[in-house]
Amino acid sequence: PQTKSLLSVSTLTPSCDTPRTVSLPVGPHTVEMSLVEYMTRSGRVVVKDGQQITWPLAPDFGVLNIRTPTPGTKVAIDGEAAGATPVQQRRLNAGPHQVGLDDECYYPMGEQFTIVRGETKDLALEPRARPAGLNVTARDAEGNDLAADVILDDKPLGKAFKTHKVNICNKTLTVKARGYGDWTLDLSGIILGERVTAKVEAVLSRKATQGAGATSRPLEGKRARKPQIGRQKAVAILRL
């Protein structure tokens, strides 16, 4: 950001940047200081020998901070992309503005506000996620049902063999069962439909088994994409 202001004195030609030491006749002078995004200041100064002039300039902008419960949510300010939350120390011209979500994972929403010069405004947005359903089954290599825990993005979701409400943009699905290796699926390679339930089958291998913790089966369904494989081979059967 620009840190030098433009100094203009009635006896100086041309103007110059600050800080600057100048030789002036003792007596009255008109001084003007200006800086981009700040209010221009001018005044009459009686110059004395060795005098130093230090003027604070008032900002010609306000500062906006935006936060959401889920960091990384994309937002727009006045219709232009403004990055992901948290948005901090964003300078805006004084006057009316509008903030809105610019994220396909959430329903559109916006908020209008007015900011004044020198103000710091904090906005907290509460996005509503676009929902999808996820039905997870867990079995061993012989086809036996397993009592398993379902974890989504490192947060417990519930038990297997139940339908769970999720966000269409959730990233990682993990299934855990006692005595078996963890099963992981990268959901970023799969299109979850809004208000559509996807069925995912996790096939786990016993911990004593050499090699991967899961076997592979093809994805089914026109909405499915080939999943990206994590540390272990993942199985996903999606029926949408």
Side-chain angles (χ1 to χ4, degrees):
Q2 186 175 356
T3 57
K4 293 183 178 182
S5 61
L6 187 64
L7 171 67
S8 177
V9 184
S10 58
T11 56
L12 290 180
T13 304
S15 300
C16 57
D17 289 339
T18 61
R20 176 64 62 92
T21 299
V22 295
S23 178
L24 295 173
V26 173
H29 297 271
T30 299
V31 177
E32 180 179 286
M33 288 187 185
S34 61
L35 178 64
V36 175
E37 294 187 329
Y38 288 82
M39 302 292 291
T40 298
R41 178 174 177 177
S42 62
R44 191 80 167 166
V45 176
V46 178
V47 175
K48 300 178 182 179
D49 187 27
Q51 181 178 359
Q52 184 178 31
I53 301 173
T54 303
W55 279 357
L57 300 181
D60 192 23
F61 58 86
V63 173
L64 177 66
N65 300 318
I66 308 173
R67 59 183 175 86
T68 58
T70 51
T73 303
K74 298 176 184 178
V75 296
I77 299 176
D78 297 332
E80 297 185 1
T85 58
V87 175
Q88 298 179 321
Q89 300 295 304
R90 178 61 60 93
R91 292 183 178 184
L92 296 177
N93 294 331
H97 297 276
Q98 181 171 351
V99 167
L101 294 184
D102 188 27
D103 198 311
E104 63 181 5
C105 300
Y106 300 92
Y107 287 115
M109 65 168 294
E111 184 169 335
Q112 295 181 340
F113 63 95
T114 299
I115 198 165
V116 300
R117 293 187 181 97
E119 176 187 16
T120 296
K121 182 176 287 292
D122 297 312
L123 290 183
L125 301 180
E126 299 287 341
R128 289 197 309 121
R130 295 182 182 272
L134 200 59
N135 183 279
V136 181
T137 60
R139 296 183 173 87
D140 63 15
E142 288 73 39
N144 299 307
D145 292 350
L146 299 176
D149 295 315
V150 179
I151 299 168
L152 196 63
D153 292 342
D154 297 324
K155 296 180 181 179
L157 184 63
K159 298 293 184 179
F161 298 97
K162 292 184 177 181
T163 298
H164 302 281
K165 183 179 179 180
V166 300
N167 184 336
I168 65 171
C169 292
N170 284 123
K171 303 299 183 184
T172 305
L173 175 67
T174 303
V175 180
K176 295 176 177 284
R178 182 176 297 181
Y180 292 82
D182 293 350
W183 181 95
T184 301
L185 178 66
D186 183 359
L187 293 175
S188 63
I190 299 171
I191 301 176
L192 293 179
E194 184 177 346
R195 301 187 182 279
V196 175
T197 297
K199 294 183 178 181
V200 178
E201 180 180 346
V203 179
L204 285 69
S205 296
R206 293 186 180 275
K207 287 184 177 180
T209 302
Q210 297 294 324
T215 58
S216 295
R217 294 185 183 178
L219 287 170
E220 297 178 358
K222 63 180 181 179
R223 292 181 179 270
R225 295 177 180 171
K226 184 178 180 181
Q228 299 177 10
I229 305 305
R231 293 183 178 178
Q232 304 182 45
K233 292 182 180 179
V235 177
I237 299 178
L238 271 68
R239 301 180 180 90
L240 305 180

